[in-house]
Amino acid sequence: MSSNPSSPSPRRAAARRTAARRTAARRTAARRASYAAALSLGLALTSAGLTGCSTAPGTPGAAGASATMSASAPASAPAAPGVDSRERLSVDGGTREYLMHRPAAEGGGPRPLLIAFHGRGADAAQLREQSGLDKGAGARGMLLVYPEALGKAWGAGSAPSPQRPDPDADVRFTEALVGELVRTGRADPHRVYVAGFSNGGSMALRMAAQRPDLVAGAVSVSGELPTGAAAVKPTGPVPVLTVYGAEDPVRPLAGLASPGPAAPGEEPITPTMSARAGSEAFAAAAGAGAPVEEGKPGYDSVTWPAGPAGAKVQLLVMHGAGHTWPGSAMTPPAGFGSVSTALDASTTLLDFLTAHKR
């Protein structure tokens, strides 16, 4: 029996598989190192009187949103069974990108859509690894989108700055993204949800506050409503869940009314109200009931029961936790505090969101 010279020997094939595994491991380690470096810079900024994850300034595009889709390309290795792609969207005369994860089974009509905003200095792939949202969203038949911020930071506040002269660009991008996914029949317009971590959590709260007609529910992990000149105020009823570390050293639970000056050339850090005050603002806009406070193993819960509009508001404060995602398997940088294991934030937020629709 003759051998085929074009076919690799078993030994060579095994060597190639081993090399591929080592390459994948190096890439994962590099992503984690980048995440740690970004958050470590955020801690350095905090110690200088600032707050938030590390800052990388970006300039949004000009006003006026129009959306077109480009051909999709494969994304990084999937974290859960499903179909993954990196998509592009034309908005405001520029191109924005996002990672999309959808269940492997096609058909069944438009799906619930979750848009998950990463933290300042991070990116879509890092939030995907940090949160592990793919698995739970896929089990619920959801379309999951991780958009990329311009300059790795979201315009979560309403005040312009030299680095961000158009503070509404990310709101328009999110609107255009939802509009395109609804137009193409992939997303259910009555089940559009937003969530995020840190600066991304504040962006999720901004969308809920300013677009209650678009968003059926919102969750913020370690992010608060902007205040001061950049204030964002709720304008209608939206179910909102905030998950917060009681010992957060980066974005304190009590808020940050007066951030220190930013470093030369850096985008200013937006002041924030406390996590409790933000929840109260959403409860008032929703006509929710009086707060009910409960002590749970490892965290405290405050719930404003749904009023006539059906929008419940809830705040979970994790005992001893820092600027972290509860239940995450990713180790946070030194100085960012502990990761709570009292609950899994991803499961909690998915259960909260999918109980609501517009």
Side-chain angles (χ1 to χ4, degrees), residues 219-223 241-245 314-318 326 343 345 348:
V219 177
S220 171
V221 180
S222 300
L241 169 65
T242 300
V243 182
Y244 226 90
Q314 190 170 23
L315 170 64
L316 305 180
V317 178
M318 314 307 297
L343 58 77
T348 300

Side-chain angles (χ1 to χ4, degrees), residues 192-259:
V192 174
Y193 311 108
V194 289
F197 176 71
S198 190
N199 169 241
S202 294
M203 185 66 208
L205 294 179
R206 181 177 186 183
M207 290 305 303
Q210 295 187 208
R211 289 303 311 270
D213 58 326
L214 180 73
V215 175
V219 177
S220 171
V221 180
S222 300
E224 297 166 317
L225 272 179
T227 188
V232 172
K233 299 179 180 179
T235 58
V238 177
V240 172
L241 169 65
T242 300
V243 182
Y244 226 90
E247 306 299 328
D248 191 326
V250 177
R251 287 179 174 266
L253 178 65
L256 194 74
S258 301

Side-chain angles (χ1 to χ4, degrees), residues 11-352:
R11 183 175 297 176
R12 288 180 181 176
R16 289 176 183 175
R17 288 194 296 270
T18 300
R21 286 195 295 269
R22 289 174 178 170
T23 299
R26 285 195 296 270
R27 288 175 178 169
T28 298
R31 286 199 304 271
R32 289 178 175 171
S34 175
Y35 170 79
L39 290 182
S40 295
L41 178 55
L43 183 60
L45 292 174
T46 303
S47 66
L50 309 180
T51 187
C53 297
S54 62
T55 304
T59 304
S66 62
T68 59
M69 297 292 292
S70 74
S72 62
S76 55
V83 180
D84 297 274
S85 59
R86 178 170 286 275
E87 306 280 351
R88 294 177 177 83
L89 181 69
S90 296
V91 182
D92 290 347
T95 300
R96 302 293 296 264
E97 295 189 1
Y98 57 94
L99 295 179
M100 183 163 63
H101 178 79
R102 61 188 187 273
E106 296 293 344
R111 297 182 180 277
L113 168 65
L114 174 58
I115 298 175
F117 300 100
H118 62 74
R120 187 188 302 268
D123 59 23
Q126 288 165 340
L127 177 60
R128 187 186 197 192
E129 183 175 0
Q130 178 187 22
S131 67
L133 278 166
D134 285 15
K135 182 178 180 181
R140 291 165 174 80
M142 300 180 76
L143 187 64
L144 180 55
V145 168
Y146 302 94
E148 302 280 10
L150 293 171
K152 295 193 173 184
W154 297 104
S158 59
S161 69
Q163 296 82 10
R164 193 177 294 274
D166 182 358
D168 298 325
D170 286 332
V171 174
R172 293 195 305 275
F173 166 46
T174 306
E175 291 172 334
L177 177 55
V178 172
E180 184 65 13
L181 294 173
V182 168
R183 184 189 68 79
T184 54
R186 287 182 279 183
D188 180 351
H190 301 292
R191 294 181 292 172
V192 174
Y193 311 108
V194 289
F197 176 71
S198 190
N199 169 241
S202 294
M203 185 66 208
L205 294 179
R206 181 177 186 183
M207 290 305 303
Q210 295 187 208
R211 289 303 311 270
D213 58 326
L214 180 73
V215 175
V219 177
S220 171
V221 180
S222 300
E224 297 166 317
L225 272 179
T227 188
V232 172
K233 299 179 180 179
T235 58
V238 177
V240 172
L241 169 65
T242 300
V243 182
Y244 226 90
E247 306 299 328
D248 191 326
V250 177
R251 287 179 174 266
L253 178 65
L256 194 74
S258 301
E266 293 283 354
E267 184 175 354
I269 300 297
T270 303
T272 60
M273 63 178 67
S274 71
R276 172 97 186 210
S279 296
E280 290 172 340
F282 278 107
V292 177
E293 306 200 21
E294 300 176 273
K296 303 283 189 178
Y299 64 96
D300 295 320
S301 170
V302 186
T303 303
W304 289 261
K312 179 176 77 171
V313 177
Q314 190 170 23
L315 170 64
L316 305 180
V317 178
M318 314 307 297
H319 298 169
H323 195 68
T324 54
W325 187 284
S328 176
M330 178 181 281
T331 302
F336 271 68
S338 301
V339 177
S340 173
T341 58
L343 58 77
D344 179 80
S346 296
T347 299
T348 300
L349 75 84
L350 288 169
D351 287 345
F352 179 87

